[in-house]
Amino acid sequence: MLVANRGEIARRVFRTCRDLGIGTVAVYSDPDAGSPHRAEADRAVRLPGAAPADTYLRADLLIAAARASGADAVHPGYGFLSEDAGFARAVLDAGLTWIGPPPAAIDAMGSKIAAKELMAAAGVPVLQLDDVTEADLPVLVKASAGGGGRGMRIVRALADLPGELATARAEAASAFGDPTVFVEPYVEAGRHVEVQVLADAHGTVWSLGERECSLQRRHQKVVEETPSPFVDDDLRARLSAAAVTAARAIDYVGAGTVEFLVRSDGAFFFLETNTRLQVEHPVTECVTGLDLVAWQLRIAAGERLPAEPPVPSGHAVEVRLYAEDPAHDWRPVSGPVHAFDVPGTPFAVPPGPGTRVDAGVVAGSAVSTHYDPMLAKVVAWAPTRTEAAARLAAALAGARLHGPTTNRDLLVRTLRHPAFLAGETDTAFFDRHGLDVLAAPLATDDDRAVAPLAAALALAAARRRDAAVLGGLPSGWRNVPSQLQRTAFDTGEVAYRLARDGLQGHEGVDLVSATPDEVVLTVRGVERRFAVAAYGDDVRVDGDGWSVALRLLPRFPDPSATVAAGSLVAPMPGSVVAVHVAPGDRVTAGQRLLVLEAMKMQHPVTAPADGVVTSVDVAVGDQVEAGAVLTVLEGDPA
């Protein structure tokens, strides 16, 4: 079987195929040449190029890869062409087995606009909006052909609608190849609740319960769980009945998800049907004990579902671990993954207390700017919701994540937040509780104060390990006291002396031992261990449930690395898709200057203050690296 996808979902499908004795074929783009999913497949076929439009969105190349590799079935995963009826038909026309719903069902739900009309006719409640007026605000612009937050914008002022429509169309065209968008009423603090359905070709349709996916950033889900803390037995029955009605209305076959928006009063409205496996399917697997991928394969082979689905047990919570910086407007981050060690069992399906890790990366992988920045999904199952959240928070806090900045600290703080534990998880959660609180580092002020010292001692130990003579003595040791040993990080300078009577220069801190990998200190009478790893000038210190990233500064800075005063630099690698200013233009604080596209999303670069544009150093179509100068502003003398 060929998996027409990449990363975590390709690895997930391969795992089930290995269990069932099915051979696997991977496809990979040039940036994914070193991806784990390529290495784990029995066979692999290169898709030349980098952009999705040239690789994973090319149906002709995917079918050619299946034929060349000897595959007789195609699994689309999620995203890319997974909900493209044309691709499904092309797979079937090529004589291959399609692991998904019939093309007609995909067609029926492929356009969110047409899908709403169909669901309304079937008696499923929907949100509708034809002409936008002031009274309708706020509204939500959505891409008709896709999801995942691409092509989606909240509009709170009529004057902003044309610009947001244009941006949404551009994102939708880039991500899905279809610029069609529509507008619907925006429910400020609703809940995003979806129902997993599974249907065979013989008329049996299962509802496998609901998943709550309300905690989102940029309309992409961050935390998912089942069962929902908001849904009672009556609402669950009504949601399940509506989901089964929706599936039967389009003669659905296979695994799919019917998504609803639920108001605080319990009223719910159809949003869309995802005619594929969902990213968050592991939580349903954990509470039901089902392998949904295995059932996709069985249904495609013509098997029947039992008359009744299994009864769910316990509670499962999943978080999406992203390479991004939540404190800076969820900015995506790329680069090498030096270490990736999250406690848990990879891709485990049977329910049982513990954690499951579905990862798309391993140590040595690279996060590309061409694709979504999700590193992994981490899932915890336990008899109760409180225990599941505690297990998951502890696993994340104890993970070794070295490389790009991640949202790990935000996830841990969210899982431990009193409002989350109380089930107050509507779509306004992050706005209500504030990123300044939720995205704050897990490391305390005391942790951040002692971490540079631990790093300096570990680096010194590494230097002494490689010393040609007297390697057993600590770095900087003098028989007669001399100047302090100094190490400079981006957080400041660390100064200390190792003398006959121990560590000097840090009151209340004593050195127990120091190796290149671990430093043990006694801090105000309490022994503490610090794991240290260095990757060039990138130094990581992991403590007991926290991590600190430090940058080692050179003794002699490179003058060419400095930029002119007033320079606005690229916050991430990406391509320039729009430039809105020219030299000599006067701009105001917050004004959009240009737009970068990275990881399938568009990111505006705005003026930090009033000023005059003195130079524009990029043009539309340019590829820029993080830190590249985009434009230079001069302070407005007025």
Side-chain angles (χ1 to χ4, degrees):
M1 186 171 71
L2 180 142
V3 178
N5 219 295
R6 62 179 298 278
E8 165 266 326
I9 185 55
R11 298 182 73 198
R12 164 68 186 91
V13 175
F14 291 161
R15 191 206 62 78
T16 291
C17 287
R18 286 193 296 271
D19 288 349
L20 299 178
I22 298 173
T24 56
V25 181
V27 289
Y28 65 94
S29 66
D30 291 341
D32 279 340
S35 172
H37 86 273
R38 175 194 179 187
E40 291 174 5
D42 297 318
R43 302 176 183 180
V45 179
R46 175 181 173 235
L47 303 176
D54 300 326
T55 53
Y56 299 107
L57 291 174
R58 286 282 301 275
D60 57 334
L61 296 182
L62 296 169
I63 291 172
R67 285 173 165 157
S69 63
D72 58 8
V74 174
H75 192 298
Y78 55 70
F80 294 129
L81 293 177
S82 63
E83 296 180 277
D84 188 305
F87 179 50
R89 289 191 180 93
V91 169
L92 294 170
D93 290 345
L96 305 170
T97 299
W98 169 250
I99 312 299
I106 300 175
D107 264 335
M109 294 293 104
S111 165
K112 292 183 176 65
I113 300 171
K116 286 192 173 190
E117 295 173 351
L118 182 59
M119 291 299 105
V124 179
V126 300
L127 283 172
Q128 298 189 63
L129 188 61
D130 296 323
D131 298 316
V132 180
T133 67
E134 194 76 35
D136 298 317
L137 298 173
V139 297
L140 188 63
V141 180
K142 298 177 71 173
S144 180
R150 285 97 188 179
M152 192 176 292
R153 288 289 188 274
I154 299 173
V155 181
R156 301 184 184 278
L158 280 180
D160 297 336
L161 185 58
E164 297 293 6
L165 283 170
T167 301
R169 289 188 181 108
E171 283 186 353
S174 175
F176 315 116
D178 182 350
T180 306
V181 298
F182 66 97
V183 180
E184 69 181 20
Y186 178 62
V187 179
E188 288 281 4
R191 288 176 181 260
H192 189 127
V193 179
E194 60 191 28
V195 177
Q196 175 72 57
V197 295
L198 196 62
D200 63 22
H202 307 285
T204 300
V205 181
W206 280 358
S207 165
L208 293 174
E210 84 284 351
R211 297 187 289 252
E212 168 128 1
C213 311
S214 301
L215 270 64
Q216 304 178 8
R217 58 89 165 113
R218 289 180 171 170
H219 312 293
Q220 286 184 301
K221 301 160 188 172
V222 178
V223 182
E224 299 111 346
E225 61 181 310
T226 185
S228 165
F230 178 77
V231 175
D232 58 19
D233 290 342
D234 175 66
L235 180 54
R236 180 171 297 114
R238 290 189 288 124
L239 286 167
S240 293
V244 170
T245 296
R248 292 191 183 281
I250 58 174
D251 297 323
Y252 198 80
V253 175
T257 305
V258 185
E259 301 194 358
F260 299 96
L261 183 66
V262 181
R263 287 195 321 223
S264 58
D265 61 1
F268 63 87
F269 306 93
F270 171 83
L271 287 177
E272 60 183 313
T273 297
N274 296 122
T275 53
R276 54 171 168 78
L277 199 65
Q278 283 282 82
V279 179
E280 56 271 22
H281 75 275
V283 293
T284 298
E285 292 184 325
C286 286
V287 299
T288 62
L290 297 173
D291 182 332
L292 292 179
V293 174
W295 270 109
Q296 284 186 296
L297 300 178
R298 294 183 187 117
I299 289 169
E303 288 192 28
R304 292 177 178 269
L305 287 168
E308 297 295 332
V311 178
S313 172
H315 201 101
V317 184
E318 171 184 296
V319 294
R320 302 190 191 187
L321 184 64
Y322 285 98
E324 66 182 8
D325 187 352
H328 291 86
D329 195 27
W330 309 96
R331 180 188 301 163
V333 184
S334 60
V337 178
H338 301 303
F340 187 84
D341 183 12
V342 183
T345 306
F347 304 104
V349 171
T355 55
R356 161 180 170 171
V357 181
D358 289 17
V361 300
V362 296
S365 296
V367 179
S368 167
T369 60
H370 297 285
Y371 312 112
D372 187 273
M374 188 175 75
L375 302 175
K377 303 175 307 196
V378 188
V379 192
W381 182 93
T384 67
R385 183 174 185 268
T386 300
E387 186 180 344
R391 285 179 180 271
L392 187 51
L396 289 165
R400 289 179 71 245
L401 304 172
H402 299 167
T405 301
T406 73
N407 64 338
R408 182 256 303 273
D409 290 7
L410 172 128
L411 296 175
V412 173
R413 288 194 179 279
T414 297
L415 292 168
R416 292 173 174 170
H417 197 283
F420 177 86
L421 296 175
E424 300 168 3
T425 53
D426 58 52
T427 55
F429 184 90
F430 289 135
D431 291 335
R432 184 165 59 251
H433 298 289
L435 290 182
D436 56 336
V437 174
L438 295 172
L442 292 174
T444 65
D445 290 343
D446 286 345
D447 297 331
R448 290 193 293 273
V450 74
L453 173 61
L457 291 166
L459 293 173
R463 290 193 295 269
R464 295 308 301 162
R465 178 188 57 189
D466 301 327
V469 295
L470 300 177
L473 292 178
S475 177
W477 188 91
R478 298 289 186 274
N479 189 46
V480 177
S482 179
Q483 64 179 334
L484 297 176
Q485 190 88 343
R486 300 180 186 277
T487 306
F489 297 102
D490 56 343
T491 56
E493 185 180 72
V494 177
Y496 66 92
R497 178 188 293 124
L498 295 175
R500 292 179 182 274
D501 55 349
L503 179 69
Q504 296 181 354
H506 293 266
E507 185 177 354
V509 181
D510 295 316
L511 175 63
V512 177
S513 64
T515 70
D517 304 314
E518 184 183 66
V519 173
V520 182
L521 300 172
T522 299
V523 183
R524 292 188 291 276
V526 178
E527 186 172 289
R528 302 182 62 184
R529 295 179 180 272
F530 305 88
V532 182
Y535 313 93
D537 61 0
D538 181 4
V539 183
R540 303 300 175 103
V541 181
D542 292 306
D544 49 351
W546 55 266
S547 182
V548 168
L550 303 168
R551 184 166 58 87
L552 182 65
L553 299 182
R555 292 182 62 191
F556 305 104
D558 181 2
S560 66
T562 61
V563 297
S567 296
L568 295 184
V569 300
M572 73 204 80
S575 60
V576 180
V577 296
V579 176
H580 299 295
V581 293
D585 287 355
R586 187 178 298 278
V587 297
T588 58
Q591 182 176 334
R592 183 174 296 192
L593 306 180
L594 49 86
V595 179
L596 293 179
E597 184 172 87
M599 299 179 178
K600 301 192 287 186
M601 295 289 284
Q602 293 194 355
H603 309 272
V605 176
T606 59
D610 295 352
V612 176
V613 178
T614 59
S615 72
V616 177
D617 297 83
V618 294
V620 173
D622 287 355
Q623 294 287 330
V624 297
E625 295 299 320
V629 176
L630 304 173
T631 183
V632 180
L633 298 183
E634 186 177 87
D636 191 338

